[in-house]
Amino acid sequence: MQNMVYLDNNATTAVAPEVLEAMLPFFETQWGNPSSLHTFGSGTKRHIDEAREKVAALLGTADPSEIIFTSCGSESNNMALLGAASAIGGTPHVLTSQVEHSAVLGPCNKLEKDGCRVDRVPVDGVGYLDLNVLSEALTESNGPLLASFMWANNETGMIFPIAELAEKIHEAGGVLHTDAVQATGKLSINVQDVPVDMLSISGHKLHAPKGVGALYVRRGTRLDPLMLGGHQERARRAGTENVPYIVGLGKACELALERLEADTCREAQQRDRLESGILATCKGAVVNGVPACRLPNTTNISFEHLEGEGTLLMLDDIGVCVSTGAACESGSIEASHVLKAMNVPRSQMQGAIRFSVGRYTTEADIDYVLEQLPSIIERQRVLSPHLSD
Amino acid sequence: MQNMVYLDNNATTAVAPEVLEAMLPFFETQWGNPSSLHTFGSGTKRHIDEAREKVAALLGTADPSEIIFTSCGSESNNMALLGAASAIGGTPHVLTSQVEHSAVLGPCNKLEKDGCRVDRVPVDGVGYLDLNVLSEALTESNGPLLASFMWANNETGMIFPIAELAEKIHEAGGVLHTDAVQATGKLSINVQDVPVDMLSISGHKLHAPKGVGALYVRRGTRLDPLMLGGHQERARRAGTENVPYIVGLGKACELALERLEADTCREAQQRDRLESGILATCKGAVVNGVPACRLPNTTNISFEHLEGEGTLLMLDDIGVCVSTGAACESGSIEASHVLKAMNVPRSQMQGAIRFSVGRYTTEADIDYVLEQLPSIIERQRVLSPHLSD
């Protein structure tokens, strides 16, 4: 078997060597508690501040105090939705989409159970948000409004019109959170140009480790903490700071900003070459989503009448890592809620594979997949219980 | 200046070299997402399972599925209290003590705001829990009961009678959580002998990094998640698993179990030598708490009529790290809520210093402090605005 070909960068990314190098001193020697009064502890605060500035820079805010460090993207999303709803008080009207990440849908379900009206705006066949339904929901809205729309979809890469959404939500007097976990490091994000009120990011999607994230909170946005107790993060997130990972996230954001143009340009070329190659050589391959409006690194391709898991496992056998569009829970294969919301035809639903290239993807990786995939798809078709035509 | 003398192990501990070594492969090569279907990702699950077994072993449960990994001790405490209250439903009667950590007091305050009756049991002059007040509160209790009492106090090291509390709380039909963040690795903990329902631990108090913790939840205990979304940790804690730190926490628990007797025996001797030396050589030194019932590594000593912060800073100048009993917030020095609850005399309140030895404390460290401290206290007395006698 050749080296691993990793085309699953939307699931997680390699820790960048520069990030690991930046973190190591905080495991080895500078392990003091930032809340301590002695120099050994309090001296680590400076490194947290520097990291906060780097995250702020990537997101385009001049005010680092708008960045709260969290333990992951899921925590950022939970904190934004539950914390804002709590600060607003009562039962705000919640507006979101049908294709959000589970860490947004979960808190929305809880708010619904707690008595909030939750509207989940549908998408069309290629993943565009239905702006008519959105307008309708906004018209019907009375009382405080809390909205959460993802910047880009993790499964299809489809990008939502966040600037336009911010305008509409703000016109209606609402607060807008965006889950930018997949968008950060892949698109230019600037909270001055696109005035969202809250924005979630996750370290491990941009070459920092799993277990660190951040929530951008625009100054003046009312937000109750999710984690109560100590006064860390200006009393917005209790718990001794994870100094090594915070430093690592800072470094990862710095790298993402430096490399954004070069990385995404190369990734888009690799993704396009992969996608057009697959469409040309694999029978029954259909892209979910539209090219123009996607993350530069992602393509979600359905192989008609096939089971994605079979394709994934055959690719796994030859060292290629990808995801299915579908989430597999407790052994039962359930179709992706994203593809379901897009009303993807039944013949395409189960056969989706997400390919997501990344910083370390090589041309040889793309060559290898283009060389191997057609025969895998052919073998799958022979094994498949469905008729392929 | 000589090497640092670190006597602040209750604030945080050094990452053990064995722990860092165990974590490194998960930054460098095995960085897959445990939820991925491909071998590279799913192969990391085994390491999470192994870590879970090691944490379970340290806590004395044979069922690793009773361990939930979290991002810190504060999260564990928040999850236990808010999650159990939510699962119980309505407004349970909450019972706790006046000397808990802020990550327990914070959630209790929130529950009170949400309509729960919260009784905070006082302690006596040396930190013993007032069991009469506790019994009274239990007698008055009707409806579901949720109790949280720390295993050992972070400031004084005083140990609560958790086995007795478990019996009383269970007799009253209640659920008992214990914050064992300071006790774990310093005392023998066994949830079979001491049948608490939930127990919080924190990695960075036992030589794993800051940013990982665990919550023990006895099978059958009703608990709603704090973090909603993904199905990680059997749907009890959403968020991609922090594999390196989870592996690190496992290793740290394994080491703690192996070394418990040797480490704590040596630490107790060092602590006792430090304490008796200070009491013999420093005028106006008084121990807060009683020797018999404390963590083996902790002594909290008040220097009468002095400001602890001044002593701390002078010790810091010569490379010795300690804590004050008091928490310093936004520049204003507020007396410790623990010493306040103990009704420590005013003359002792502000002058408290917590010395907490640890695995890497040497005899030379103790010698150095015993040699330097008397003159520091003398100089402090000269500088102090109070009359020293």
Side-chain angles (χ1 to χ4, degrees):
Chain A
M1 200 174 91
Q2 74 150 46
N3 285 335
M4 179 174 68
V5 171
Y6 189 76
L7 299 182
D8 201 12
N9 286 279
N10 286 13
T12 195
T13 59
V15 177
E18 300 93 330
V19 168
L20 180 54
E21 196 193 2
M23 296 194 305
L24 279 178
F26 299 91
F27 294 124
E28 289 169 343
T29 54
Q30 294 170 260
W31 46 263
N33 187 328
S35 297
S36 291
L37 289 179
H38 47 71
T39 316
F40 176 66
S42 63
T44 58
K45 263 190 246 167
R46 180 170 62 84
H47 301 281
I48 297 178
D49 293 342
E50 283 173 14
R52 206 183 302 278
E53 283 163 19
K54 289 173 184 174
V55 178
L58 180 64
L59 302 180
T61 170
D63 182 357
S65 76
E66 293 184 327
I67 305 297
I68 302 172
F69 289 111
T70 66
S71 73
C72 56
S74 289
E75 183 185 333
S76 299
N77 284 338
N78 273 264
M79 183 178 175
L81 282 156
L82 302 178
S86 165
I88 291 168
T91 51
H93 178 199
V94 177
L95 201 54
T96 186
S97 84
Q98 290 184 359
V99 297
E100 299 295 314
H101 189 272
S102 59
V104 165
L105 295 176
C108 286
N109 292 343
K110 180 181 160 50
L111 292 173
E112 194 167 43
K113 213 180 114 197
D114 291 350
C116 294
R117 170 179 168 177
V118 178
D119 286 317
R120 297 169 186 84
V121 179
V123 295
D124 69 10
V126 291
Y128 283 124
L129 201 62
D130 190 328
L131 295 175
N132 291 330
V133 175
L134 178 82
S135 296
E136 233 168 85
L138 286 174
T139 314
E140 288 168 20
S141 194
N142 54 3
L145 173 70
L146 173 59
S148 184
F149 290 94
M150 69 206 315
W151 199 297
N153 188 273
N154 48 317
E155 294 190 22
T156 60
M158 287 294 289
I159 298 167
F160 276 170
I162 297 295
E164 194 181 337
L165 290 170
E167 208 181 312
K168 284 180 196 290
I169 302 300
H170 289 154
E171 269 172 19
V175 169
L176 175 62
H177 164 256
T178 183
D179 171 0
V181 161
Q182 286 297 343
T184 314
K186 294 172 191 151
L187 299 174
S188 172
I189 303 272
N190 190 308
V191 293
Q192 287 182 51
D193 299 342
V194 180
V196 294
D197 302 296
M198 296 182 282
L199 180 149
S200 299
I201 75 169
S202 166
H204 77 103
K205 308 291 190 189
L206 67 159
H207 303 287
K210 291 166 240 322
V212 66
L215 180 65
Y216 161 82
V217 183
R218 185 175 297 279
R219 191 170 277 269
T221 306
R222 290 159 65 206
L223 186 73
D224 284 344
L226 186 64
M227 219 81 86
L228 302 160
H231 288 74
Q232 291 87 356
E233 301 295 292
R234 299 171 168 235
R236 294 174 299 182
R237 205 276 185 189
T240 299
E241 297 91 336
N242 183 347
V243 184
Y245 278 17
I246 287 173
V247 168
L249 180 59
K251 187 68 191 176
C253 287
E254 185 181 62
L255 288 171
L257 189 57
E258 280 169 20
R259 304 183 55 141
L260 184 66
E261 215 178 306
D263 272 0
T264 54
C265 185
R266 184 187 42 69
E267 286 171 23
Q269 284 169 359
Q270 289 176 333
R271 188 269 316 266
D272 290 346
R273 187 160 78 86
L274 179 70
E275 183 176 275
S276 56
I278 291 174
L279 293 179
T281 57
C282 296
K283 212 163 58 175
V286 189
V287 174
N288 298 308
V290 282
C293 200
R294 280 182 306 171
L295 291 176
N297 79 317
T298 308
T299 179
N300 187 305
I301 301 183
S302 281
F303 298 92
E304 284 184 306
H305 303 294
L306 296 187
E307 293 282 350
E309 197 175 339
T311 311
L312 180 149
L313 294 176
M314 279 190 176
L315 283 168
D316 187 33
D317 276 346
I318 59 163
V320 177
C321 299
V322 297
S323 282
T324 54
C328 175
E329 288 167 21
S330 353
S332 76
I333 294 169
E334 210 185 311
S336 147
H337 74 286
V338 175
L339 299 187
K340 267 189 195 163
M342 289 164 67
N343 272 315
V344 163
R346 218 183 143 70
S347 61
Q348 287 169 226
M349 186 78 90
Q350 297 287 358
I353 295 286
R354 178 186 68 190
F355 301 86
S356 47
V357 304
R359 183 178 297 166
Y360 305 116
T361 304
T362 63
E363 297 304 324
D365 291 342
I366 305 295
D367 293 341
Y368 185 68
V369 174
L370 287 178
E371 181 191 304
Q372 299 288 330
L373 190 61
S375 67
I376 285 178
I377 296 298
E378 270 317 298
R379 278 162 62 206
Q380 282 278 101
R381 292 215 177 281
V382 173
L383 296 171
S384 170
H386 305 285
L387 285 175
S388 36
D389 289 283
Chain B
M1 199 173 94
Q2 74 148 48
N3 285 334
M4 178 174 69
V5 171
Y6 189 77
L7 299 181
D8 201 12
N9 287 278
N10 286 12
T12 195
T13 59
V15 177
E18 300 93 329
V19 168
L20 179 54
E21 196 192 4
M23 295 194 304
L24 280 178
F26 299 92
F27 293 124
E28 290 169 342
T29 53
Q30 295 171 259
W31 44 264
N33 187 328
S35 298
S36 291
L37 289 181
H38 47 71
T39 317
F40 176 65
S42 63
T44 59
K45 264 191 245 164
R46 179 170 64 83
H47 301 281
I48 297 178
D49 293 342
E50 282 172 16
R52 204 183 302 278
E53 283 164 19
K54 289 172 184 173
V55 178
L58 180 65
L59 303 181
T61 169
D63 182 358
S65 76
E66 294 184 327
I67 305 297
I68 302 173
F69 289 111
T70 66
S71 73
C72 58
S74 289
E75 183 185 332
S76 298
N77 285 339
N78 273 265
M79 184 178 174
L81 283 155
L82 302 179
S86 165
I88 291 168
T91 53
H93 178 199
V94 178
L95 201 55
T96 186
S97 84
Q98 290 183 0
V99 297
E100 299 295 314
H101 189 273
S102 59
V104 164
L105 295 176
C108 286
N109 293 344
K110 180 181 160 51
L111 292 173
E112 193 168 43
K113 214 181 115 198
D114 291 350
C116 294
R117 170 180 168 176
V118 178
D119 285 318
R120 297 169 187 82
V121 179
V123 296
D124 69 9
V126 290
Y128 283 124
L129 201 63
D130 189 329
L131 295 175
N132 291 330
V133 175
L134 178 82
S135 295
E136 231 168 87
L138 285 174
T139 314
E140 287 168 20
S141 194
N142 54 1
L145 174 69
L146 172 59
S148 183
F149 290 95
M150 66 206 316
W151 199 298
N153 189 273
N154 48 317
E155 294 190 22
T156 61
M158 288 295 290
I159 297 166
F160 276 169
I162 297 294
E164 195 181 335
L165 290 171
E167 207 181 312
K168 283 182 196 289
I169 301 300
H170 288 155
E171 265 173 20
V175 169
L176 176 61
H177 164 255
T178 183
D179 172 1
V181 161
Q182 286 298 342
T184 314
K186 295 171 190 152
L187 299 174
S188 172
I189 303 273
N190 190 309
V191 292
Q192 286 182 52
D193 299 342
V194 180
V196 295
D197 303 295
M198 295 181 283
L199 180 149
S200 299
I201 74 169
S202 166
H204 77 104
K205 308 292 190 189
L206 67 159
H207 303 288
K210 292 165 239 326
V212 66
L215 180 66
Y216 161 82
V217 182
R218 185 174 297 280
R219 192 170 276 269
T221 307
R222 288 160 65 205
L223 185 72
D224 285 342
L226 187 63
M227 219 82 85
L228 302 160
H231 288 74
Q232 290 88 357
E233 300 297 290
R234 301 173 168 235
R236 295 174 299 183
R237 203 278 184 186
T240 299
E241 297 91 337
N242 183 348
V243 184
Y245 278 18
I246 286 173
V247 168
L249 180 59
K251 186 69 192 176
C253 286
E254 185 182 62
L255 289 170
L257 189 57
E258 279 169 20
R259 302 182 57 141
L260 185 66
E261 215 177 306
D263 271 0
T264 56
C265 186
R266 183 189 41 70
E267 287 171 22
Q269 285 170 358
Q270 289 176 333
R271 189 271 317 267
D272 289 347
R273 187 160 78 85
L274 180 71
E275 183 176 273
S276 56
I278 292 172
L279 294 178
T281 57
C282 297
K283 212 163 59 176
V286 189
V287 174
N288 297 309
V290 283
C293 200
R294 280 183 304 171
L295 291 176
N297 78 318
T298 309
T299 178
N300 186 307
I301 301 182
S302 282
F303 299 92
E304 284 185 307
H305 303 295
L306 295 187
E307 294 282 351
E309 196 175 340
T311 311
L312 180 148
L313 294 176
M314 280 189 173
L315 283 169
D316 187 33
D317 276 346
I318 60 162
V320 177
C321 299
V322 298
S323 282
T324 54
C328 176
E329 290 167 21
S330 355
S332 77
I333 296 169
E334 211 185 310
S336 148
H337 73 284
V338 176
L339 299 187
K340 267 188 194 164
M342 289 163 68
N343 273 316
V344 164
R346 216 182 144 71
S347 62
Q348 287 169 226
M349 185 78 86
Q350 297 287 359
I353 295 286
R354 178 186 68 189
F355 302 87
S356 46
V357 303
R359 183 178 297 166
Y360 305 116
T361 304
T362 64
E363 296 304 324
D365 291 342
I366 305 296
D367 292 341
Y368 185 68
V369 174
L370 286 177
E371 181 192 304
Q372 299 288 330
L373 190 62
S375 67
I376 285 178
I377 296 298
E378 269 318 299
R379 277 161 62 206
Q380 281 279 100
R381 292 215 176 281
V382 172
L383 297 170
S384 169
H386 304 286
L387 287 173
S388 36
D389 286 285

